[in-house]
Amino acid sequence: MMKLPACWCCQYKFAWKELLFFLGPKKCPVCKEKQFVTAKKRLQAAWSSPVTVILMFIFLHLFSFPTAILLGVFVLIIGITLSPFCYEFTNEQEPLF
């Protein structure tokens, strides 16, 4: 089962809409501590773009152009919708490598 992440400090469970679109550190609304996405989860998220591009090329070869674009947009919307479930927070910015 997919679960939304919690604050690393006070264990506040973030709401889906709080995590839908954010850049940089996120502040916990309860304890006001900064939340940084772990390096592991940032690296996993970095793979979503190449996978989406590969799917688009596959769609372009299998379907007509308008259908391929619609399928690509559908995949993108699903990815954005599910992205809040893929976060995990820590108290400091971790290096990727």
Side-chain angles (χ1 to χ4, degrees), residues 3-40:
K3 295 193 308 189
L4 289 165
C7 171
W8 63 268
C9 183
C10 69
Q11 300 306 310
Y12 167 77
K13 294 277 188 191
F14 285 94
W16 177 81
K17 67 180 182 177
E18 290 177 304
L19 300 174
L20 191 56
F21 296 107
F22 80 92
L23 296 172
K26 176 81 176 157
K27 251 189 190 175
C28 176
V30 176
C31 68
K32 306 298 186 217
E33 291 288 336
K34 284 185 179 179
Q35 310 294 308
F36 296 94
V37 178
T38 62
K40 175 185 167 188

Side-chain angles (χ1 to χ4, degrees), residues 27-91:
K27 251 189 190 175
C28 176
V30 176
C31 68
K32 306 298 186 217
E33 291 288 336
K34 284 185 179 179
Q35 310 294 308
F36 296 94
V37 178
T38 62
K40 175 185 167 188
K41 292 298 184 176
R42 287 191 335 227
L43 198 55
Q44 287 175 353
W47 282 100
S48 65
S49 295
V51 168
T52 303
V53 170
I54 290 169
L55 281 174
M56 280 301 297
F57 279 115
I58 292 170
F59 291 159
L60 283 171
H61 284 86
L62 295 177
F63 304 103
S64 66
F65 183 75
T67 305
I69 295 299
L70 285 174
L71 287 171
V73 169
F74 181 70
V75 167
L76 188 62
I77 289 171
I78 288 173
I80 290 171
T81 304
L82 296 178
S83 67
F85 295 99
C86 299
Y87 296 131
E88 184 176 87
F89 294 122
T90 185
N91 62 333

